[in-house]
Amino acid sequence: MTQENVVTQNEVVVYFDGACPVCSSEIAYYRRQPGADTCQWIDASNCAETDLGPGLTRAAALKRFHVRRPDGTLADGARGFGVLWQALPRTAWLGHIVSFGPMPIVLDFTYRGFLAVRPLWRKTPSELPATSATPVDTTNEHAGEPRPVQSGSGAFGALVRRL
């Protein structure tokens, strides 16, 4: 990781697809929450490959939501949201609930449904900022013919706000 992206021992690192308006909106919501300053936020569509750390490729980071726990292990999909929610005081209770028993499996099924429609919103490489540190891998399942939409709040953020 670059000098400014050195992870502290107690820090949760959140990897998100900044080229996806839904994902960006969702992350913006979480970044405004109390406790968000204890997390590190890395836009996988616009970072150096080394910022992804060990065991995570750009293609994987763009394909699914990933979170690196303080112990260095990765959680993705619904489990990743559980780790993030536990790191934020307002949603810690929800993070514990969704991480218990069969909940990660059930929620991951729902998350996969979201991933099936996400390519409709994701920006193409030509729409990404020219200042990108490294080229974006367009071979993942989210590349294709996107339809631009206005950034709105994401599904998981909407769920959290309703609870």
Side-chain angles (χ1 to χ4, degrees), residues 83-156:
V83 172
L84 171 58
W85 291 342
Q86 287 178 45
L88 302 174
R90 286 187 181 165
T91 56
W93 63 274
L94 182 59
H96 291 291
I97 291 171
V98 302
S99 299
F100 181 74
M103 289 300 292
I105 296 166
V106 172
L107 290 174
D108 210 53
F109 181 76
T110 304
Y111 181 66
R112 287 179 192 195
F114 164 73
L115 291 178
V117 298
R118 190 170 82 106
L120 299 174
W121 298 302
R122 192 176 190 286
K123 294 178 185 178
T124 63
S126 63
E127 296 173 309
L128 294 176
T131 59
S132 182
T134 55
V136 175
D137 180 356
T138 60
T139 61
N140 70 66
E141 71 184 29
H142 305 296
E145 296 291 326
R147 284 186 290 148
V149 296
Q150 292 289 345
S151 292
S153 73
F156 283 111

Side-chain angles (χ1 to χ4, degrees), residues 2-151:
T2 60
Q3 186 67 16
E4 64 270 6
N5 289 326
V6 174
V7 178
T8 63
Q9 196 168 12
N10 296 323
E11 191 172 52
V12 168
V13 183
V14 179
Y15 303 96
F16 64 96
D17 183 354
C20 171
V22 175
C23 305
S24 293
S25 178
E26 187 81 18
I27 294 302
Y29 169 77
Y30 294 128
R31 290 180 84 163
R32 291 188 302 268
Q33 299 307 303
D37 57 337
T38 65
C39 298
Q40 183 177 356
W41 307 88
I42 297 180
D43 178 352
S45 72
N46 192 23
C47 72
E49 188 80 28
T50 56
D51 290 344
L52 299 173
L56 184 61
T57 64
R58 185 178 312 281
L62 294 175
K63 186 176 179 180
R64 289 176 63 88
F65 178 73
H66 284 76
V67 174
R68 189 174 305 276
R69 296 177 183 101
D71 68 2
T73 60
L74 287 168
D76 67 338
R79 284 181 175 84
F81 279 101
V83 172
L84 171 58
W85 291 342
Q86 287 178 45
L88 302 174
R90 286 187 181 165
T91 56
W93 63 274
L94 182 59
H96 291 291
I97 291 171
V98 302
S99 299
F100 181 74
M103 289 300 292
I105 296 166
V106 172
L107 290 174
D108 210 53
F109 181 76
T110 304
Y111 181 66
R112 287 179 192 195
F114 164 73
L115 291 178
V117 298
R118 190 170 82 106
L120 299 174
W121 298 302
R122 192 176 190 286
K123 294 178 185 178
T124 63
S126 63
E127 296 173 309
L128 294 176
T131 59
S132 182
T134 55
V136 175
D137 180 356
T138 60
T139 61
N140 70 66
E141 71 184 29
H142 305 296
E145 296 291 326
R147 284 186 290 148
V149 296
Q150 292 289 345
S151 292

